[in-house]
Amino acid sequence: MIRDRGSMKWTAMMLPEHLGLIRGWKQEQFYDKKRELTEWELEEIEQTIQRAFNMQKLITLTLWSNDHLHDETGQVTGTDLLKKELLLETDVAIKRIAFNTIQDAKMVDVDD
């Protein structure tokens, strides 16, 4: 049986710059891709945000930043149309969220 060490035997011949680039390339494999939203999806997100604002309900926004998706939950308190930002009041602070980072919006049921 051949006991090959795989890629381990090749790392001695690589430069440190190459190893750094390979590690960066492997990390990029775990990045989320920002997808372009269709007209219907944008309209649905807008309607959900308006409904949450008018009813003063909690909303969960899925945001894309730093190559990753994450959720923010809070109450919409207003918009800044000049800066194209949404004001979201969370438990700790009021956050300014750019319109182009919003990927999805869902109303939060209090019953959950």
Side-chain angles (χ1 to χ4, degrees), residues 1 8 10 19 23 28 43 47-48 59 61 79 88 90 98-99 112:
M1 179 187 230
M8 192 169 85
W10 296 105
L19 293 174
R23 285 187 192 108
E28 287 178 9
E43 190 172 321
Q47 289 176 355
T48 304
I59 190 169
L61 299 174
T79 57
L88 186 73
T90 61
F99 290 153
D112 290 344

Side-chain angles (χ1 to χ4, degrees), residues 2-110:
I2 298 174
R3 295 192 181 247
D4 191 15
R5 294 184 298 163
S7 65
M8 192 169 85
K9 64 182 175 184
W10 296 105
T11 56
M13 295 182 354
M14 292 184 165
L15 295 174
E17 293 86 10
H18 294 150
L19 293 174
L21 290 173
I22 289 173
R23 285 187 192 108
W25 175 72
K26 284 183 180 179
Q27 281 290 23
E28 287 178 9
Q29 303 301 314
F30 298 107
Y31 289 167
D32 294 326
K33 304 265 188 287
K34 182 178 182 184
R35 60 186 188 92
E36 293 297 321
L37 299 173
T38 63
E39 186 90 18
W40 290 342
E41 291 172 323
L42 288 171
E43 190 172 321
E44 182 180 340
I45 290 170
E46 179 185 354
Q47 289 176 355
T48 304
I49 291 171
Q50 285 179 354
R51 194 174 27 222
F53 177 70
N54 291 336
M55 297 171 59
Q56 294 298 307
K57 296 271 187 173
L58 290 177
I59 190 169
T60 299
L61 299 174
T62 302
L63 306 173
W64 184 84
S65 65
N66 298 332
D67 298 322
H68 293 289
L69 292 172
H70 68 280
D71 291 337
E72 288 285 341
T73 302
Q75 190 173 9
V76 179
T77 57
T79 57
D80 187 351
L81 296 178
L82 293 176
K83 293 181 181 178
K84 296 183 180 178
E85 292 178 335
L86 182 75
L87 300 174
L88 186 73
E89 183 178 349
T90 61
D91 291 337
V92 269
I94 295 178
K95 298 185 178 182
R96 294 180 167 271
I97 298 171
F99 290 153
N100 60 356
T101 62
I102 299 173
Q103 293 290 303
D104 193 19
K106 292 187 174 103
M107 298 255 303
V108 175
D109 293 330
V110 180

